[in-house]
Amino acid sequence: TSSYPIVIDPIWTTSSTPTATLTNSGGASGDEFGISVALSADGTTAVIGAENVNSLKGAAYVFHVSGEGSWATSSAPTATLTNSGGGPADFFGYSVALSADGTTAVIGAYGVSSIAGAAYVFHVAGEGSWATSSTPTATLTKSGGASNSYFGLSVALSADGTTAVIGAEGVNGSAGAAYVFHVSGEGSWATTSTPTATLTNSGGASNDDFGYSVALSADGTTAVIGA
């Protein structure tokens, strides 16, 4: 049986002509713009990481368009996200994640505090409300985290923006770990160094690099951790 109107999914075909090219007009050689990317569920908001901006402090750039079919080549980001308290070699932007509604971004910065690492949450009221900011909504770290933990090397976010998983592949002699942070609502993020849960592998060994990559289901109840 069929229901009307019938909607036919578009068919991807091989192409060497992008719909749009995104760059940063203020960028410089070696910025590594594009080291990480994330997209909202409706395809209208993109976050692009650039870990080497400004002496490796790093940055992330938000691009937003009115509709999924409205992408056009641009070198003018809608917003630039940085951390005013950041320092050289933070590598802010090495990893990025975005909620389904495009209002919450998590930006990893594994180089913070001698590579102990950190992740930063930015939240706005609406998908069209992104503005340049150097003041994260919340800073996520791990109390007791040691140098070379690489916390923030990977990040993932649930669809509703309330659950984040942060990988830290350098923990415990690079056996690695991943940390879950959960809040009651997307607008409830606050700075914390106390993860909701710590994920490890009891059979793990040094140099497993558990946490090098992370993924999270839309409802935030299933995580996959690469080692």
Side-chain angles (χ1 to χ4, degrees):
T1 61
S2 298
S3 59
Y4 293 88
I6 295 174
V7 178
I8 300 174
D9 289 336
I11 298 173
W12 286 98
T13 58
T14 297
S15 175
S16 60
T17 307
T19 302
T21 300
L22 306 179
T23 56
N24 173 31
S25 61
S29 177
D31 278 356
E32 295 199 3
F33 178 101
I35 190 75
S36 58
V37 297
L39 191 64
S40 61
D42 68 358
T44 66
T45 303
V47 177
I48 316 291
E51 60 159 346
N52 285 353
V53 167
N54 193 15
S55 299
L56 313 185
K57 288 182 178 179
Y61 301 93
V62 180
F63 291 80
H64 176 68
V65 292
S66 58
E68 194 171 15
S70 301
W71 286 103
T73 292
S74 175
S75 62
T78 303
T80 300
L81 307 179
T82 55
N83 173 31
S84 60
D90 276 0
F91 301 115
F92 176 105
Y94 181 83
S95 58
V96 300
L98 190 61
S99 60
D101 67 0
T103 66
T104 302
V106 176
I107 315 295
Y110 71 83
V112 168
S113 299
S114 299
I115 318 181
Y120 301 93
V121 180
F122 292 80
H123 176 68
V124 292
E127 196 170 12
S129 301
W130 285 102
T132 292
S133 175
S134 61
T135 307
T137 303
T139 300
L140 308 180
T141 54
K142 170 64 172 65
S143 60
S147 297
N148 299 311
S149 289
Y150 285 85
F151 178 103
L153 189 75
S154 57
V155 299
L157 194 60
S158 61
D160 67 0
T162 66
T163 304
V165 177
I166 314 296
E169 53 114 5
V171 167
N172 193 20
S174 294
Y179 300 96
V180 180
F181 293 81
H182 176 69
V183 292
S184 58
E186 195 170 11
S188 301
W189 285 102
T191 293
T192 182
S193 61
T194 306
T196 304
T198 299
L199 309 179
T200 56
N201 174 28
S202 61
S206 296
N207 299 315
D208 278 358
D209 293 327
F210 179 101
Y212 187 86
S213 56
V214 298
L216 191 60
S217 60
D219 66 1
T221 66
T222 303
V224 177
I225 315 296

